[in-house]
Amino acid sequence: MGKQMLATVALLMATLSQVFSQHQPPVVRQDIPLDSIRLSDPFILADKKTATYYMTGTGGMLWKSKDLKKWTGPFVIAKTDPASWMGPNPMSWAAELHHYKDKYYYFATFTNRAVKIDTVGENVIERRASHVLVSDNADGPYVPMSDPTYLPASKPTLDGTFWVDKDGKPYMVYCYEWLQNQNGTIEKIELKPDLSGSIGDGKLLFRASESPWSRENVKGSTGPNKVTDGPFLFNTGTGRLGMLWTSWIYDVYTQGVAYSKSGTLDGPWIQEKEPITPPNYGHGMLFQTLNGKWLMSVHSHRSVDGRTMRYPQLFEVDFSGSKLVVGKPYKP
């Protein structure tokens, strides 16, 4: 692993350690502008039932808003089982909220740092996997379902998202982390009809090395980056199946898009040659506002007093045609 990528990993872990070191309940604040909230991997559910926007992300906390301008939070909404593989105080990364068949589901990556599953070169691999919790309400509480695990204990998996494919079956689409396989992948696994567990084994969709736009330096030569991060599925107006996903161009966080030639998760997935968003934006998702406008939520990195912080950002988007087009930043 190059020094640049090692520095990036060290920075991420330092930031996450600060996020997860707080054992006290968070102090709830009101009327906070979006650009004042520090949050990685922001995911926004526009819930018509309550006419409210719910935003979560890494850290697993919840923010609420009626207009996308002013937010109230953070609230604790996830209740994990301390006797499970997650342990008593798991990290929570890239949490997502999905409404499906009259229930609300919390897709997140949980990490138990006390359990080591592998060592690959300089990388000590911790027990980490995507998992799903359920609630009757958008703002929780979200609780475990019947199956203790969804993905193999021997593999570090992350950034699970939700999709119902053309076969009518629900799936989790997730990343198998590059720290272990040295060439990150995006994969799918079928879920039970009530999302309470997974069925069968995961299936490879594509590898990080298939990206024509990501870059890293390895032993003096340039090649594709190893990282796959933040998949999100969508259909264009013409019915094409697209996937947002994120990697790096050297030390710049960057988001691309791929399209499925078959229109299903099985692909094959054709990578666009150029990134879809400006530099320093990634881990995107799409949502439709309560007024019918489509937006993309991403995060960017910003240096504050010598420390790198992550902040949500919204962009206008148009995918009424055959491709997703990202427009100007959106200011609520």
Side-chain angles (χ1 to χ4, degrees):
M1 179 166 37
K3 291 182 179 179
Q4 195 171 59
M5 187 168 288
L6 277 171
T8 300
V9 173
L11 174 62
L12 174 61
M13 293 310 299
T15 302
L16 290 172
S17 295
Q18 294 165 2
V19 170
F20 295 106
S21 64
Q22 301 173 2
H23 297 286
Q24 298 295 325
V27 176
V28 174
R29 297 175 291 157
Q30 296 184 346
D31 297 331
I32 306 301
L34 182 65
D35 61 7
S36 296
I37 298 173
R38 286 165 43 187
L39 182 66
S40 301
D41 315 324
F43 189 99
I44 297 175
L45 171 69
D47 186 52
K48 294 181 179 179
K49 181 178 177 181
T50 58
T52 302
Y53 299 99
Y54 299 94
M55 179 172 67
T56 188
T58 287
M61 302 295 183
L62 183 74
W63 292 82
K64 305 177 185 179
S65 176
K66 290 292 186 181
D67 57 9
L68 296 176
K69 296 179 183 178
K70 302 292 185 180
W71 294 81
T72 298
F75 301 94
V76 177
I77 59 169
K79 294 185 177 182
T80 57
D81 179 3
S84 73
W85 66 266
M86 299 179 193
N89 189 35
M91 288 182 169
S92 175
W93 298 3
E96 299 186 358
L97 302 179
H98 295 274
H99 186 217
Y100 180 65
K101 292 186 177 179
D102 298 324
K103 295 282 188 180
Y104 294 87
Y105 294 91
Y106 179 100
F107 282 63
T109 302
F110 295 95
T111 302
N112 185 342
R113 303 204 68 188
V115 178
K116 316 300 180 184
I117 62 171
D118 198 3
T119 300
V120 180
E122 301 173 2
N123 303 321
V124 177
I125 313 298
E126 299 165 343
R127 178 74 170 93
R128 173 163 49 253
S130 295
H131 201 82
V132 185
L133 308 180
V134 66
S135 178
D136 291 325
N137 303 297
D139 58 355
Y142 288 87
V143 299
M145 290 185 279
S146 60
D147 284 11
T149 60
Y150 284 68
L151 295 162
S154 60
K155 294 181 178 181
T157 54
L158 69 158
D159 293 353
T161 192
F162 181 56
W163 188 250
V164 178
D165 211 2
K166 285 187 175 181
D167 59 9
K169 297 177 180 179
Y171 291 87
M172 180 193 293
V173 176
Y174 60 93
C175 300
Y176 173 24
E177 194 169 29
W178 66 274
L179 289 173
Q180 187 180 57
N181 64 21
Q182 297 300 294
N183 186 3
T185 66
I186 292 182
E187 306 183 1
K188 72 166 187 176
I189 194 166
E190 185 181 344
L191 298 177
K192 294 180 179 179
D194 63 355
L195 314 192
S196 64
S198 57
I199 299 172
D201 299 322
K203 179 180 178 181
L204 174 69
L205 303 185
F206 61 84
R207 302 179 188 277
S209 59
E210 296 174 36
S211 164
W213 50 264
S214 71
R215 293 289 183 273
E216 67 171 297
N217 287 318
V218 181
K219 297 180 180 180
S221 62
T222 297
N225 203 282
K226 300 180 180 71
V227 174
T228 49
D229 179 87
F232 181 86
L233 286 302
F234 64 95
N235 279 128
T236 69
T238 60
R240 294 182 79 192
L241 178 60
M243 184 193 302
L244 294 169
W245 70 284
T246 301
S247 191
W248 296 79
I249 298 179
Y250 303 115
D251 61 346
V252 180
Y253 200 54
T254 306
Q255 181 171 249
V257 65
Y259 293 97
S260 169
K261 192 172 182 179
S262 68
T264 72
L265 289 176
D266 289 330
W269 288 90
I270 310 302
Q271 306 290 334
E272 290 288 279
K273 293 183 179 180
E274 300 295 332
I276 193 71
T277 44
N280 192 32
Y281 292 100
H283 204 110
M285 58 82 59
L286 307 176
F287 71 99
Q288 190 173 30
T289 70
L290 297 172
N291 295 324
K293 186 178 184 66
W294 281 97
L295 300 176
M296 174 188 287
S297 173
V298 293
H299 77 251
S300 65
H301 302 76
R302 191 187 312 168
S303 180
V304 179
D305 298 328
R307 296 168 59 196
T308 299
M309 304 296 181
R310 297 181 173 192
Y311 292 87
Q313 173 68 56
L314 302 179
F315 281 91
E316 297 181 1
V317 291
D318 179 9
F319 52 103
S320 58
S322 63
K323 288 188 175 183
L324 173 67
V325 177
V326 179
K328 62 183 180 182
Y330 177 77
K331 301 299 181 183

